[in-house]
Amino acid sequence: MPAAAPVALTIAGSDPSGGAGLQADLKTFHTLGVYGCSVVTLLTAQNTLGVQGIQMVPTDFVRTQWASVSSDLPLAAIKTGALGNAEMIETVADCLASASSPVVIDPVMISKHGHPIIDEDAVAKLIERLFPLADLVTPNSFEAERLVGHPIRTEEDLVRVSSELLALGPNAVLLKTHLGDESVDCLADASGIELLRSPRLQSNRTHGSGCVLSAAITASLAQGEDFHNAVQTARSFVHAAIRNAPKLGAGISPLGLLAPIN
């Protein structure tokens, strides 16, 4: 019999258009050779044009989903996505407190179309409860600015904000941003700070790119990679997925995740 693939769990919201959220996570896991499972936190009505509605899943049912999955499957890595509100963040933090596998927190605060996902109470709870449980957090520049309260305009800002985020409790931070014509991400952990550079892709086919990046990192961690290799692999994967993205819908198209990308 063939060996079972490593198992990765996403705790996230649903995107019925398939470009972001748990659907993008599961596609990414599958493409990268990892068995994916999910705990659903919220439902959205959304497409490539924006978010038309959000419906929270009851927190007691989220706990039941977690118990079902975690008691039966050997979770090798876990990621979170959209959690919606402070009560859900508390619930997920309670669940993850017993987790022994690496945890990647994608602090989803705003959609690609500018739709707010969580309020200020939820932001505070994210910092208080989830950041200390995180092996890695993966904010974009807008999320990082909201978390620390000041803008990112230069590489010096990028390094300073990354250090401030690291001080909030996670083991590592990957802060994603664009500076000029470059994609410049900052990976910070106890060993130091590293700037990761690549050409900026000018594309409107980026719906779900943050979800895909954190899912790709989670997939690599599930396969036993260390954080630095996992981040490098995930960045390459996302760039290839944007370059190979189909044009779908009338708005911001999703990434190309239909087949393995070399």
Side-chain angles (χ1 to χ4, degrees), residues 25-258:
D25 293 341
L26 293 175
K27 291 175 186 178
T28 301
F29 291 163
H30 180 80
T31 299
L32 295 177
V34 172
Y35 180 87
C37 54
S38 63
V39 168
V40 186
T41 58
L42 56 89
L43 308 176
T44 69
Q46 68 173 292
N47 53 29
T48 66
L49 295 171
V51 179
Q52 293 81 43
I54 297 176
Q55 180 68 52
M56 298 298 299
V57 173
T59 54
D60 60 347
F61 192 65
V62 170
R63 292 180 190 273
T64 302
Q65 292 179 76
W66 164 262
S68 295
V69 174
S70 64
S71 66
D72 189 44
L73 298 178
L75 303 179
I78 302 167
K79 69 152 287 188
T80 68
L83 301 180
N85 60 31
E87 182 185 11
M88 185 63 72
I89 290 169
E90 290 267 23
T91 298
V92 172
D94 289 343
C95 294
L96 292 179
S98 62
S100 58
S101 50
V103 174
V104 176
I105 303 296
D106 186 6
V108 180
M109 298 182 187
I110 189 167
S111 76
K112 187 70 69 176
H113 308 87
H115 187 100
I117 301 295
I118 61 175
D119 61 20
E120 290 306 314
D121 287 343
V123 173
K125 197 60 66 175
L126 185 71
I127 294 170
E128 175 191 345
R129 292 297 313 278
L130 276 184
F131 273 37
L133 299 175
D135 291 284
L136 177 70
V137 295
T138 62
N140 61 33
S141 57
F142 301 107
E143 292 159 347
E145 288 172 350
R146 188 174 179 188
L147 286 163
V148 302
H150 48 261
I152 300 170
R153 299 290 182 265
T154 66
E155 287 188 7
E156 289 76 14
D157 295 336
L158 179 61
V159 170
R160 183 175 72 253
V161 170
S162 297
S163 297
E164 292 178 10
L165 291 170
L166 191 63
L168 295 176
N171 290 335
V173 173
L174 177 66
L175 174 47
K176 307 164 294 183
T177 191
H178 295 118
L179 296 174
D181 294 330
E182 283 189 312
S183 171
V184 184
D185 300 340
C186 186
L187 180 58
D189 62 15
S191 66
I193 289 177
E194 181 181 4
L195 295 181
L196 309 173
R197 305 175 187 275
S198 57
R200 182 177 182 179
L201 298 177
Q202 300 293 339
S203 174
N204 72 338
R205 303 181 185 188
T206 58
H207 179 53
S209 57
C211 302
V212 171
L213 179 69
S214 57
I217 293 170
T218 305
S220 289
L221 294 175
Q223 293 168 321
E225 294 285 347
D226 64 34
F227 280 107
H228 286 260
N229 287 336
V231 167
Q232 293 283 15
T233 298
R235 292 181 82 250
S236 297
F237 178 75
V238 169
H239 277 251
I242 293 172
R243 288 196 304 269
N244 293 317
K247 177 56 183 171
L248 292 173
I252 302 174
S253 294
L255 280 61
L257 301 175
L258 298 180

